[in-house]
Amino acid sequence: MKQQLKAIILVCLSLTFFGCESLPPSKKVGAQQKLPRQVINFNNNWKFYREDPSGLTERPVEEVVLPHSVKIEPLVVNDQWQGKSLYSKDFPVEKVKNEKWFFHFEGIMQEARVSINDSLVKTHKGGYLPFTVDATPFLKNNSQNIIQVEVINVDDATIPPGKPLADLDFNLYGGIYRNVQLIKTNLVHISDPVYAKEVNGGGILVHFDSVSSEKASGFVKVHVVNDAEAEKELKVRAIFTSEEGVKMTFLTPYKKLASGGDEHFTAEVSVENPKLWSPSHPNLYELEVEVLEGEEVIDRQAITTGIRKIELTGNAFYLNGQELFINGTNRHQEYPYVGYAISNEANYRDAYKIKQAGFNFVRLSHYPHATAFLKACDELGLLVMNAIPGWQFYEEGEFVENALQDVKDMVCRDRNHPSVIFWENSLNESGMTEAFMVEANEILKAELPYDNTFSAGWIDHPAYDLFIPARQHAQPPTYWNDYNKPNRPILIAEYGDWEYYAQNAGFNQKAFGDLKEEERTSRQLRSAGEKRLLQQALNFQEATNSNLKGEQTIGMSNWLMFDYNRGYANDLEASGISDIFRIPKFSYYFYKSQKPPYQGNFSEPMVYIANYWQPNSAPDITVYSNAEEVALYLNGELIEKKKPKRTSFSDELWYPPYTFSIPEFVPGELKAVGFIDGKEVATHLVRTPVEVSKMALSVDISGKEIARETSDVVFVYAKLLDENGTLVHNASLPVTFEITSGENAELIGENPVKAEAGIATILLRTKEFKAPVTIEATAEGIPVSKIKVE
């Protein structure tokens, strides 16, 4: 089949030359200057063919842009495509002399066989971590060359997570779904962190072993390879630049590096009065590393990193010497329709939304997410628990070998991110052997043999520094609050979903007694209505409040941030505090209210009325706020102004919700006003909706503008409004979207799409977005709505 696929691609390849796409203008190589390292975007102009699983028909070759999903799926994915596909691309080679050419693949789901000019160069198993191929020996000078990637995405018990898709709690969307770069270096170069042969070799490692606000000291360790024919005498220069532009330069001694050899160069580093990284103040430094032969720079690589000190005791986590309770969420990297094939900017927007929700932490469930997402966590100030791929599966043999390799590759890829504080070298909810757990953590400690390297595992085994049970793995009503192993911290890795879904009750049985089974669960779509969305929020509130009672609990992460698809289910897993389109539910605002105001970035006063104020709305009005007092008004008349009252559901919360009672429904406007120190600091309005009369379009950029030079994907929302501009939450009109002007853009998703709780959503995918695109939306009985996306 592989040769047949190649033949089809080769026949259909256009004779038009498709060259290497360059970086944005600010990073292009000048006409008279050759940089020692070129990192070239290699995402555009691929040819793609997907094998039909039945074998009865052929799918024509398409031209595609990466990141790419093998198949656009429906919103609810209950029969995800699996099989083989082939990607192919022409690229020119004039003359390779004294150069190395590498192709770096950030992620391919899930087995990849890379060929260059019909020579198989590498086979890689694993969909969530990068790999690099050295193309140099296979290139043809003064000729067009061809790179081909055969992608195999089928059930494979040797590749973590290993479990068949039909039994898996998430989906494995096939394709070259992350970025590809062509990297050109000199023969003497800094090695790729996951390409190097040595256990603790590869790339650049930054480590600070002594950190205070007065001084930070540590080292920069650089692995250099000499593929030249002669011995080289080299040194390395490390340049730190603060966000304010202050530069600090550090040098290593000279070393002689034999032909064909490799060496680590270590520069001792000392930074006076460092700007420390934290969730409230995510200060970053640019580190530029240069390999010097004499005064000539023969390789240069830049990364962004941060300086922070982390400590873990038996009952607390410390960041920069101060105790910090970890309050977070879980995230799956899936988007609707396109699966995993999302841009760097889309990854950033997800991190932005998590930060907006009030969290300081995100657990990557249940696999390593894109480098772009980690970079966003660095920039925005989100602590991260990184995780190897795994979910309820373990098998000796090649599966174990690949899982252990995942530990090494994950650590080598992500070790310089200040956001990453815990390494989940644990196959989630899987029956790991003791030997596996010990070896996985030995690999971690070999790569990062430092006091502030902390492993995490779902099994309470001494090999792990941190025990991360899910809440449902203990028994109600106390769950893990009574955990008391000496000097053993725990972080509740998942809570708020399964204990309600499976047991259908919280602690206060009377509060749940009149609820139907489907009303008790935290799995509620945004269209489920006020009662169920309030119940989901109450479930998360109750579980959060309980978790805070555990004396050895250093943190928690709810299940979860966004709704998602599962291989084994015919519906969306809807326990997200935002839906799959990233639209918040009531529970989102509960979490947002738990962040203190005026404490760093994303830390503003807020107030939110969790009510639509319709005839069937609850007469007890729930208001979430981090203010000291809240006043509620109905049609301009004060109902009550008060401080929050603590109950058994809120006695440990940082900011308990407010409850106001209104004896009878009166249509009109509810207004909540939050006060701190007697001053008005936040307001929120809710109006009784009437009939839908218009529509408003918006594009969700969440802190990151649409990419100009590369592909991107953003949500387009059509809100169904009444004459007063109020969202009509029970509206479900079908909405049709259309691009009426503009280029290099397409709409993806159901079209027309039925509005859910008053909002219809579609995806806009762009490529080299340099001119405005106009989108129109139509629905029966209301005027056409337009938006110009620029």
Side-chain angles (χ1 to χ4, degrees):
M1 177 56 68
K2 178 179 177 182
Q3 294 302 320
Q4 292 173 344
L5 291 175
K6 282 185 179 180
I8 294 169
I9 285 285
L10 291 172
V11 168
C12 297
L13 277 174
S14 168
L15 294 178
T16 304
F17 159 64
F18 294 111
C20 303
E21 298 74 48
S22 64
L23 291 170
S26 62
K27 296 184 180 180
K28 285 184 179 179
V29 180
Q32 302 301 318
Q33 177 189 24
K34 181 180 178 183
L35 294 180
R37 174 179 291 250
Q38 299 177 57
V39 180
I40 300 166
N41 170 24
F42 210 69
N43 284 344
N44 290 349
N45 305 317
W46 286 79
K47 297 294 184 180
F48 165 73
Y49 172 87
R50 184 175 75 232
E51 176 188 337
D52 190 285
S54 69
L56 299 177
T57 61
E58 293 181 352
R59 181 176 176 84
V61 173
E62 305 174 41
E63 183 178 309
V64 301
V65 175
L66 310 181
H68 181 258
S69 186
V70 169
K71 184 175 183 291
I72 300 298
E73 298 285 359
L75 178 62
V76 178
V77 185
N78 52 27
D79 188 22
Q80 183 212 299
W81 186 90
Q82 292 180 281
K84 296 181 181 180
S85 57
L86 191 72
Y87 294 79
S88 180
K89 176 169 174 168
D90 267 4
F91 63 99
V93 177
E94 293 182 4
K95 190 174 184 181
V96 178
K97 184 178 181 182
N98 299 324
E99 273 187 340
K100 299 284 290 186
W101 286 43
F102 299 97
F103 287 106
H104 180 75
F105 296 89
E106 292 184 7
I108 298 178
M109 186 61 65
Q110 65 179 355
E111 180 179 345
R113 298 172 183 173
V114 181
S115 298
I116 298 174
N117 297 325
D118 288 330
S119 295
L120 180 63
V121 178
K122 187 176 183 68
T123 297
H124 180 265
K125 289 189 173 186
Y128 293 106
L129 286 160
F131 65 95
T132 299
V133 298
D134 182 356
T136 316
F138 306 94
L139 299 177
K140 297 177 181 178
N141 286 328
N142 302 312
S143 175
Q144 288 191 153
N145 288 242
I146 297 176
I147 183 170
Q148 295 169 305
V149 185
E150 184 180 12
V151 179
I152 303 170
N153 185 35
V154 296
D155 292 342
D156 190 333
T158 70
I159 304 176
K163 202 164 192 177
L165 180 62
D167 300 322
L168 192 63
D169 191 51
F170 46 96
N171 284 61
L172 307 174
Y173 298 98
I176 307 181
Y177 73 94
R178 290 182 184 160
N179 300 308
V180 180
Q181 294 94 29
L182 168 60
I183 301 172
K184 298 181 183 181
T185 72
N186 289 319
L187 295 179
V188 177
H189 57 275
I190 302 167
S191 68
D192 183 283
V194 295
Y195 185 72
K197 301 174 184 177
E198 300 172 46
V199 171
N200 60 347
I204 300 167
L205 169 62
V206 185
H207 177 72
F208 289 92
D209 47 24
S210 177
V211 175
S212 71
S213 58
E214 291 79 31
K215 185 178 180 179
S217 58
F219 61 84
V220 176
K221 186 178 181 181
V222 184
H223 185 239
V224 180
V225 175
N226 180 14
D227 284 333
E229 295 181 355
E231 180 182 75
K232 299 288 184 178
E233 187 171 15
L234 308 168
K235 67 178 177 180
V236 167
R237 178 163 57 204
I239 306 168
F240 279 87
T241 305
S242 71
E243 292 175 336
E244 294 76 23
V246 177
K247 292 184 180 292
M248 296 150 282
T249 301
F250 308 94
L251 291 169
T252 70
Y254 275 103
K255 283 187 179 181
K256 290 185 177 180
L257 185 53
S259 173
D262 59 278
E263 284 280 356
H264 287 101
F265 292 72
T266 302
E268 301 298 323
V269 172
S270 180
V271 179
E272 301 292 332
N273 302 312
K275 298 286 188 179
L276 301 184
W277 185 95
S278 70
S280 57
H281 297 90
N283 300 301
L284 294 172
Y285 287 83
E286 182 185 76
L287 170 60
E288 192 172 29
V289 173
E290 297 177 330
V291 180
L292 302 174
E293 184 179 19
E295 294 303 313
E296 181 185 3
V297 178
I298 57 176
D299 198 6
R300 177 186 290 121
Q301 191 171 353
I303 65 171
T304 302
T305 190
I307 302 173
R308 80 319 188 239
K309 179 181 181 181
I310 58 175
E311 301 168 275
L312 193 60
T313 69
N315 59 4
F317 172 77
Y318 291 86
L319 179 64
N320 301 328
Q322 296 184 343
E323 184 176 347
L324 176 67
F325 189 85
I326 295 169
N327 183 31
T329 189
N330 283 262
R331 181 230 186 196
H332 272 300
Q333 67 180 15
E334 174 198 40
Y335 255 37
Y337 310 122
V338 297
Y340 287 169
I342 64 175
S343 62
N344 291 348
E345 290 76 13
N347 274 289
Y348 181 96
R349 295 179 194 117
D350 268 9
Y352 187 93
K353 292 175 185 299
I354 293 170
K355 188 74 177 184
Q356 270 190 322
F359 296 117
N360 62 18
F361 172 83
V362 57
R363 176 179 177 236
L364 308 187
S365 44
H366 296 293
Y367 41 79
H369 294 202
T371 299
F373 183 77
L374 291 177
K375 287 181 178 178
C377 292
D378 294 342
E379 293 176 22
L380 294 166
L382 278 170
L383 303 167
V384 171
M385 180 183 291
N386 219 340
I388 59 171
W391 192 77
Q392 295 188 359
F393 184 86
Y394 183 88
E395 186 174 275
E396 292 290 346
E398 188 178 350
F399 173 86
V400 166
E401 293 174 9
N402 289 332
L404 294 173
Q405 185 64 41
D406 284 339
V407 176
K408 180 181 184 299
D409 290 349
M410 175 182 69
V411 174
C412 287
R413 187 193 72 166
D414 298 334
R415 61 196 177 185
N416 295 320
H417 290 281
S419 57
V420 178
I421 57 170
F422 300 130
W423 304 92
E424 188 177 339
N425 302 323
S426 174
L427 301 167
N428 188 57
E429 297 185 346
S430 304
M432 302 172 291
T433 65
E434 181 172 19
F436 176 87
M437 290 185 282
V438 169
E439 187 171 357
N441 287 290
E442 286 176 348
I443 291 172
L444 169 66
K445 298 302 169 109
E447 294 290 344
L448 297 175
Y450 313 114
D451 291 339
N452 60 354
T453 300
F454 301 122
S455 63
W458 85 278
I459 293 178
D460 194 2
H461 189 276
Y464 295 109
D465 301 299
L466 179 65
F467 177 34
I468 54 167
R471 183 176 171 82
Q472 69 267 17
H473 296 159
Q475 293 298 314
T478 57
Y479 290 94
W480 294 103
N481 294 342
D482 296 332
Y483 182 84
N484 61 359
K485 284 190 179 181
N487 299 314
R488 189 76 173 147
I490 66 171
L491 183 148
I492 310 302
E494 300 174 21
Y495 73 89
D497 168 41
W498 188 259
E499 68 266 35
Y500 296 94
Y501 180 76
Q503 296 165 212
N504 296 315
F507 315 129
N508 185 341
Q509 296 297 314
K510 292 181 181 179
F512 294 84
D514 63 344
L515 294 179
K516 298 176 182 178
E517 183 174 330
E518 64 270 17
E519 294 173 334
R520 297 172 183 170
T521 176
S522 298
R523 300 184 181 185
Q524 303 293 352
L525 295 169
R526 216 170 40 80
S527 57
E530 288 179 55
K531 182 177 181 180
R532 293 194 188 183
L533 293 179
L534 282 166
Q535 186 61 45
Q536 185 203 47
L538 181 61
N539 291 353
F540 282 122
Q541 175 190 326
E542 180 187 47
T544 299
N545 188 65
S546 173
N547 288 340
L548 291 171
K549 297 179 180 180
E551 292 187 3
Q552 290 175 229
T553 302
I554 67 160
M556 56 187 170
S557 52
N558 78 340
W559 191 264
L560 80 168
M561 186 67 199
F562 306 117
D563 294 351
Y564 67 102
N565 279 285
R566 297 157 294 166
Y568 65 70
N570 291 330
D571 60 355
L572 291 174
E573 208 283 36
S575 57
I577 66 170
S578 295
D579 71 7
I580 197 168
F581 299 115
R582 278 51 178 171
I583 303 172
K585 306 174 190 177
F586 287 163
S587 49
Y588 168 96
Y589 297 99
F590 159 69
Y591 282 107
K592 189 174 179 66
S593 74
Q594 296 306 296
K595 183 163 187 176
Y598 309 128
Q599 292 190 13
N601 63 349
F602 292 81
S603 185
E604 66 280 349
M606 63 82 63
V607 62
Y608 180 83
I609 303 169
N611 195 292
Y612 301 149
W613 199 235
Q614 302 174 119
N616 60 349
S617 294
D620 291 333
I621 311 298
T622 299
V623 177
Y624 301 118
S625 180
N626 56 6
E628 294 172 351
E629 291 182 285
V630 169
L632 186 70
Y633 297 84
L634 174 58
N635 294 328
E637 294 188 8
L638 178 65
I639 300 297
E640 190 178 5
K641 180 181 179 181
K642 62 182 178 181
K643 296 181 183 294
K645 181 180 179 181
R646 294 188 179 274
T647 70
S648 60
F649 287 85
S650 62
D651 54 348
E652 295 290 336
L653 294 180
W654 297 286
Y655 298 93
Y658 294 76
T659 303
F660 298 87
S661 294
I662 299 179
E664 62 177 325
F665 172 78
V666 178
E669 179 184 271
L670 288 177
K671 181 172 80 169
V673 181
F675 297 86
I676 296 177
D677 294 331
K679 297 179 180 179
E680 182 178 321
V681 294
T683 61
H684 182 228
L685 298 176
V686 171
R687 296 184 182 91
T688 304
V690 291
E691 296 297 318
V692 174
S693 63
K694 57 185 177 181
M695 184 163 41
L697 292 183
S698 61
V699 176
D700 178 28
I701 60 171
S702 289
K704 187 67 69 174
E705 294 290 338
I706 297 175
R708 301 296 168 178
E709 302 291 334
T710 55
S711 64
D712 201 353
V713 58
V714 293
F715 293 105
V716 179
Y717 302 127
K719 294 184 177 181
L720 301 176
L721 309 175
D722 68 9
E723 59 188 9
N724 300 313
T726 300
L727 181 67
V728 183
H729 292 90
N730 59 1
S732 56
L733 285 173
V735 176
T736 301
F737 295 87
E738 181 183 3
I739 295 175
T740 57
S741 67
E743 299 178 346
N744 295 334
E746 62 177 326
L747 298 172
I748 298 176
E750 298 176 10
N751 198 12
V753 58
K754 189 176 179 181
E756 180 181 6
I759 304 175
T761 308
I762 201 164
L763 285 179
L764 172 68
R765 186 161 65 184
T766 62
K767 172 191 172 186
E768 295 180 342
F769 183 68
K770 297 177 181 178
V773 168
T774 301
I775 299 174
E776 288 188 359
T778 57
E780 185 176 356
I782 59 176
V784 174
S785 183
K786 297 182 181 181
I787 188 172
K788 181 181 283 188
V789 185
E790 299 182 279

